[in-house]
Structure formats: C-alpha cells, structure tokens
Amino acid sequence: MPTATQITMVPVVVDNEKCIADKGCRTCIDVCPLDVLWIDEKTGKAHMRYDECWYCMPCEADCPTDAVTVNIPYLLR
Amino acid sequence: MTQLHDITIKDIDVLVIGGGTAGPMAAITAKEKDPKATVMLLEKANVKRSGAISMGMDGLNNAVIPGHATPEQYTKEITIANDGIVLQKGVLEYAERSFDMIQKLDKWGVYFQKDETGEYDVKKVHHLGTYVLPMPEGHNIKKILYRRLRRNRVEVENRYQAVRLLKDSEGIVSGCIAVGTRDAEVIVIRAKAVVLCTGAAGRIGLPASGYLYGTYENPTNCGDGHSMAYHVGAELSGLECYQINPLLKDYNGPACAYVTGPLGGYTANANGDRFIECDYWSGQMMMEFYNELQSGNGPVFLKLDHLAEETIQEIEQVLHTNERPSRGRFHDGRGNDYRTKMVEMHISEIGFCAGHSASGVWVNEKGETTVPGLYGAGDMASIPHSYMLGAFVYGEICGENAVTFASDRTVPQLDEEFILQERDRILAPLRRDDGIPPNQFEYKIRRLVNDYLQPPKITRKMDIGLQRLKDMQQDIPYLYARDPHELLRANEAQHVLDCALMAAQASMYRQESRWGLYHHYVDHPETNNEDWFCHVQLYKDEQEQMACKKRPVDPYVIELDEEEKTAYQRMRIQKVS
Ligand SMILES: Cc1cc2nc3c(=O)[nH]c(=O)nc-3n(C[C@H](O)[C@H](O)[C@H](O)COP(=O)(O)OP(=O)(O)OC[C@H]3O[C@@H](n4cnc5c(N)ncnc54)[C@H](O)[C@@H]3O)c2cc1C
C-alpha cells in the first residue's frame, strides 16, 4: 500500500525573527493540547508540523516574545 | 520501578487519567484526603493547557446557588430535560455539592461575577430555573488548578496517552498501559484505583467543514476513555442520546446562549424571528433548531444586531477573550460584525458527552463504574448535563472514593502476557513500511458516521453504516505510522472506530424516539414509555461482542408533577410555528 505526501497550509505561523526556541524556549510546544508544534531541525525555531489545530490559542497567548499567530484553518475561514 | 522486558512499570496508589477539569480536582482531592498516598495525574497533552478549558471558561452553566435555586429544583429540571431517563441520585448528589465547590473555587482564586451587593450574579437561561453564573475572568482557571497540583505534590506525567486499562485475576482494575506521544515508549502504571477523566468523545462525527479537528470538543478528547472502559468490561450508558450542539456555522464554537442570552441575544430564523422559547441546550431544543434549518425559514442565526453598543462590547469582551478566543478572528475574516449582521449557526457533528448531554461510561452517585477499582468523572461519565462544575464535583467525589478504595488494597498482580500482547498491538503501525495513514482511516470512519448514523436515524441506513464500520475493523492491521505522533493518531483512530460502533449499536437497540433530535428514530417516531422508560447499557459480552441491555431507571428521589414533565416538549414559540 504505497503512500504519498500531500501539501497543506497550516494555521499557526511563527515569526522566526522573534522566536527564541533556538535559545531553549519550548513554551508553545509544551502547551499545545494537540502536540502539533515542533522544532524545525533546519532553523531551530518552532513550527507547526501537523495540520491538526483546534485554534485554541495557548501557543499564542503564552509565547514570551509574541512570535506566534494562530489563524483560522483555511477550510473554516 | 520494576521492568517487564523493556517495559517500565511504575507503582502508584491512585492513577487519574486525563488532566483537564475533573482530573486535576480528583488528584488534588485524593492527595488532600490522604497525603501519604501516591497520586499520579497522567495527561496526553500538558496539564497546564489541556482539555475543554485549556483557555478558560465563560461561566458556570449549572450552578445551584442558595437563594436562586435548590438542589431539588435543579434535579427536577435535569430529569425533565432528559425525558425522565436519569439516575436522580447522581444528579442530586452533584446539586447538593455544587455550592460548596463554587466556594472552594472562589477561595482558590477563581473569580465569579458578583452584583453590587457582593452576591453571586446568577442568570436565567434554562427553561425553568436560574443556574448560570458568569466568570468574566475565566481565563485563569487552569493556572489556579496547576498551582494546587504543585502544592499538593501530585505526580504529573504529561504527553502519555493511556491506551488500555489493566485488571487483576479478580477483575479489579489495576492500572493502565500508556504510550509516550513523542517517543512511543510503552509504560505500565500499576495502580490500586483508577479514575478516568478523559473528557468527551468529540471526534465521532465529521464537522460540516470537513476539517477533522474543527470539532466542538477539544479534539484531544476522542473517546479514549470510552473505549478503554468498554474493553475492560465496564458498562456505558445512553450512547444513543448523542451530543449535538447549536454552534456557529464553520467555526464550531458555542453560539452562546449562556453568554448572550442573559444580555438579550437569541437564536433566530432567517427572518430574524425567535422560534424557540429557551436557548438552553437540550434534545428538544435541537429538534426545533433542526426543523427550522430544514424549513423555508432556515438557516438559523445568532441575533445580536438589535443590542446596544455597550452590550455588544461586553459580549465581545467575554466571547473573544476567554473560552474560544479565536472566535473574534473568525468573525473578522468573514466581515461578521454583531452590530450589523446576524451570524449564521449550524448543527454540530455528533459526539458522546455527559457534560452537555447524557452519554458516557456508567457511574453512580459515588463515581463508581460497574468495574471495581474504576471511577469516572466529567464529560466521559454518565451523570447528565454536568458541565464544568459537574466535572469538578465528580472529580472530587471520585478522588475521595478512589483513595479510600486504594488504601484497602495490596499491590495488584499484573497479567504479563496481556501486557506484552498489548504492547505489540499498540506499536504495530510503527513497524510497517507502508499502509493506511491514520488521518485517512479516521476521515473515513467519521464520514460514514455522518452518512449513516447522525439523525434522523433510519434502521436500514444504520445497518449499512454498522456493516461498513465493522468492515473497517479488518483494516486495523494495515494502519501505518511514520513517527510517534502518527502512532498517537493511529491509536486514537481505533478508539474513534469503537465509539462509532457503539453509537450505531446503541441507537439501533432503542426502538423508539426520545430526547428530541438526539435520538430521532424515523422508523420508531414515538416515545414509548411502556417499553423504553429505561437506560440502555452497552457492554462487551462473554463472546467479546458488543451488546446492549436495559437497565431500569431507579425510583425517583424527587417526584415530578404532571405539568412539569412535559415542559421541555413545549419549546416552539407558538406565534411563529
Ligand atoms: C467549547 C466549549 C465551551 C464550554 N463552555 C462551558 C461553559 O461556558 N460553562 C460550563 O459550565 N461548561 C462549559 N463547557 C463544558 C465543560 O468545559 C466540560 O464539561 C468540562 O470541562 C469537562 O471536563 P473533563 O475533565 O471531563 O474534560 P476535559 O477538561 O476536556 O479533560 C479531559 C482531559 O483528558 C485528556 N485525555 C484524553 N484522553 C486521554 C488519554 N488517553 N490519556 C491521557 N489523557 C487523556 C485530555 O487531553 C484532556 O486534558 C464547554 C465545553 C466546550 C468544549
């Protein structure tokens, strides 16, 4: 049963200029109820790795540097 | 800590599974009652921000406060709203402890709205009584619970999904098997008593938007607890009494009878007319909502455009900052302004949730399930319409009783063969190189649920749906996960499938219509009290098959008069119909 990888636009956007995950911050990753925020291996910053969002906003509210924005998923907009 | 092959075994007195609302209260209470007992709170996400109240809450939907309501009145109202099928003792127990819980939370620092005289500012939303207490500062609630967990030294284990419950040779629950959501590590937590607080089963139906996670419930709550309870042999009850809610179209957040109602907002049809007497969520209310949607007067809207500017600002302040704060963003994107336009509403996907409806794992007024050593509280347990305060009260009840049960018990024996077999089953999707991705598997289940199981319920359709879902059980060995996160989704999807099967079986068993839209059975359109004034219990029978049976309704502790019994049947406003 072969598989393919499909592209999807994700609702949570992280501003790499502001994000301090590369300095060890894990706040947004810690608080996400769906565990969809991870470290991007390439940049060391946080990013949304899985399009499974309840747009509940702890990631945005708790971010110490205001780097996170939660958008409404495209299908709902 | 002991090992069983490569599996770590952790010993604990009381294990609480699910650290949302009921769970923290259960764990804190167990520790307060017996500080020497070891108590673990196991959470799939992170207790700091997990569950239905991850961002906070707008208010108490069901506060029984002296001077405004009595426990007897409340018990009557909930009995009537549930067409009589309730364990009244369970509802009354909640109602009697409700005010003490409010005072406890108040002391902990939760702010409830008070009037000029310092009294609780309770609002009327229900059909008969007055029970809604706003919490304009409701966004602090998780922080307050977290502080209490720390202070009482509850052991918190985040990012583990409990997958199966364990029992000893005497059939007493003895802990659980869990898997790390980030590393796929399988662990066993051996416990002398277990409290399930895993929330609603919110991923059974598919939201109309088609987005798998655009559910009413926090999608971490996907029915893990329902499935675990079923497999360990517990009875579930009222599953045919689905949860279906009136929500904003596409956003799937509460349209908020509770917040806007007391301020003058209401549910209207396309002409801007009210068509229901009462916006309190019930099956009867949802039936009228559904009828209006299907009629020439649809769709249905939340109407606020007649309100004064200050009132609208007050509503925005609450609705766009507390419980579901992304709601303001949704409205901005669509150019919706409460001042100028009514906002379109719709019917949610189906789910199991005792917090709002009456479906869940059967518990009595002590929070006991039908399996010894296993307790249940909150949205996953069967006490109807219990909402947030019910989750706290039953969390407290379960915490007390579980720690007492644990103190009388020695360390239970583990069934090693079962554990190893389960470990292999749980990890199987990771060991494949290709197969069915969990998201496709889940999408298909939930699409079938919408096609065949959501009301109006029709026997022939449910037959087909049940068969298709059973066929999908053959696909489980082909589930494929590329990483621990996808493994989490694969395990969840199997629980979603269990719940879908339960929804079908329970619905087909109850051959009558009841609870308005929740169990609107076209082949059996009338309510039939003669044969069906009973609970429907679903369980795993001796042949390991899903089965249903009747359970008589316990004699009422509070009698209803004839006039009251049908109050919820008179929802439709006379002049519009
Ligand atoms: C959008 C929304 C608005 C609401 N508004 C109100 C309101 O205004 N007033 C009111 O009184 N009530 C309201 N409610 C209802 C109220 O929030 C719930 O009834 C209550 O919070 C349920 O508590 P709970 O502990 O059962 O579930 P939750 O608080 O959801 O907790 C369940 C927890 O279990 C965890 N979990 C699930 N499965 C597993 C597993 N396998 N292993 C480990 N952990 C697991 C989850 O991650 C979650 O943290 C609302 C609910 C929603 C969804």
Side-chain angles (χ1 to χ4, degrees), chain A residues 30 50-52 55 60 62, chain B residues 49 159 211 326 329 483:
Chain A
D30 274 349
Y50 304 92
D51 181 15
E52 300 164 340
Y55 33 100
E60 180 178 315
D62 296 351
Chain B
R49 287 293 203 180
R159 304 288 173 196
Y211 191 61
S326 55
R329 229 157 263 188
D483 59 29

Side-chain angles (χ1 to χ4, degrees), chain A residues 33 54, chain B residues 17-24 42-45 50-53 57-62 142 160-163 197-200 216-218 220-222 224-225 228 252-254 258-259 323-324 353 355-356 377-380 386-389 391 495:
Chain A
W54 197 44
Chain B
I17 303 176
T21 314
L42 187 84
E43 167 57 55
K44 185 153 77 168
S50 58
I53 61 171
M57 195 95 312
D58 292 343
L60 299 176
N61 287 350
N62 53 348
K142 279 300 248 182
Y160 278 94
Q161 178 197 21
V163 183
C197 301
T198 49
Y216 170 70
E217 296 295 342
N218 184 327
T220 45
N221 298 339
C222 60
D224 290 345
M228 284 190 279
N252 263 18
Y258 304 98
V259 174
E323 206 173 86
R324 295 294 276 135
C353 177
H356 297 84
D379 284 355
M380 59 79 59
S386 54
Y387 293 97
M388 183 175 63
L389 199 58
H495 299 158

Side-chain angles (χ1 to χ4, degrees), chain A residues 1-3 5 11 29-38 49-58 60-62 69-73 75-77, chain B residues 45-46 49 54-55 159 181-182 209-211 213-220 250-251 324-326 329-330 334 434-436 478 480 482-483 485 489:
Chain A
M1 274 180 261
T3 53
T5 308
I29 295 172
D30 274 349
V31 296
C32 174
L34 289 149
D35 210 9
V36 293
L37 301 174
W38 289 65
R49 179 152 148 197
Y50 304 92
D51 181 15
E52 300 164 340
C53 185
W54 197 44
Y55 33 100
C56 53
M57 307 232 304
E60 180 178 315
D62 296 351
T69 308
V70 176
N71 296 302
I72 303 295
L75 287 183
L76 277 59
R77 243 177 251 169
Chain B
N46 184 316
R49 287 293 203 180
S54 68
M55 280 306 274
R159 304 288 173 196
T181 64
R182 290 178 177 173
S209 67
Y211 191 61
Y213 295 80
T215 47
Y216 170 70
E217 296 295 342
N218 184 327
T220 45
D250 296 341
Y251 180 75
R324 295 294 276 135
S326 55
R329 229 157 263 188
F330 170 76
R334 294 257 176 117
D434 63 14
I436 306 168
Y478 301 100
Y480 167 49
R482 293 172 299 181
D483 59 29
H485 182 83
R489 298 294 179 238

Side-chain angles (χ1 to χ4, degrees), chain A residues 2-47:
Chain A
T3 53
T5 308
Q6 266 172 336
I7 189 168
T8 175
M9 182 173 71
V10 294
V12 171
V13 181
V14 178
D15 181 341
N16 281 351
E17 298 284 302
K18 292 185 185 163
C19 174
I20 50 167
D22 50 342
K23 307 217 164 52
C25 179
R26 292 291 179 275
T27 302
C28 63
I29 295 172
D30 274 349
V31 296
C32 174
L34 289 149
D35 210 9
V36 293
L37 301 174
W38 289 65
I39 296 290
D40 184 332
E41 302 282 329
K42 282 199 278 314
T43 59
K45 308 285 185 179
H47 80 136

